[in-house]
Amino acid sequence: LRAAGIPAEFAKTIGIAVDPRRKNRSVDAFNANVARLNQYKENLVLYPRGDVAKKGPIADAAGATVDGASQTTGITFPLQVETPTLQYETLTDADKAKKNAWVLMRNQRKRSRNVGYPVKKLNAELNGAKKKKKK
């Protein structure tokens, strides 16, 4: 709203939802939102409340514009979302020979978690100790 030159309190009065928690994380999305707000400002017709048109962030419309204005219903400025195109690639034998990274990490975590068990088992075999049965 600030980049489009619209104060937050004024935006609420002209039909723009204001969420102070929202943050712009992408420059492209930010620029698209500013362009959409500017387009909204250009198409907006504010009727003067009194005899004199007020000057402000968005000035009140003149007499000729007010007479030719019509009420719109429905979605006036729909979001235009570009759908990405997918490009499929065929798997080669080299791709199939590669190990799955997730499987490799899972096996490494398993080995690090159970590192004591093989050592204990090896020591037991070397010492000839037998497992004691619990009664």
Side-chain angles (χ1 to χ4, degrees):
L1 287 172
R2 190 177 303 128
I6 304 172
E9 291 299 319
F10 183 68
K12 293 176 187 176
T13 63
I14 58 172
I16 299 173
V18 178
D19 187 2
R21 300 168 297 180
R22 187 179 183 283
K23 301 286 184 218
N24 289 302
R25 288 174 172 73
S26 168
V27 175
D28 295 333
F30 173 75
N31 292 335
N33 287 336
V34 171
R36 202 171 73 240
L37 286 170
N38 286 332
Q39 182 185 10
Y40 183 78
K41 277 178 27 177
E42 290 172 7
N43 294 335
L44 185 67
V45 176
L46 290 179
Y47 290 95
R49 297 181 107 180
D51 296 334
V52 180
K54 295 180 182 177
K55 306 272 186 206
I58 301 174
D60 289 344
T65 314
V66 171
D67 295 337
S70 63
Q71 181 69 37
T72 58
T73 58
I75 299 173
T76 54
F77 295 98
L79 291 175
Q80 296 173 352
V81 180
E82 296 178 11
T83 55
T85 56
L86 299 176
Q87 295 180 355
Y88 297 101
E89 296 179 6
T90 57
L91 285 176
T92 62
D93 291 334
D95 292 334
K96 291 177 184 177
K98 290 180 184 176
K99 295 284 187 178
N100 186 349
W102 185 82
V103 172
L104 291 174
M105 293 300 293
R106 182 187 63 190
N107 290 338
Q108 185 60 34
R109 281 193 302 269
K110 182 179 73 171
R111 278 190 227 107
S112 66
R113 189 174 57 240
N114 298 329
V115 71
Y117 179 73
V119 173
K120 183 179 177 183
K121 185 177 178 183
L122 183 64
N123 285 339
E125 289 176 2
L126 291 176
N127 295 335
K130 296 181 181 178
K131 290 185 177 180
K132 296 180 181 179
K133 293 183 179 180
K134 292 184 179 180
K135 293 185 180 181

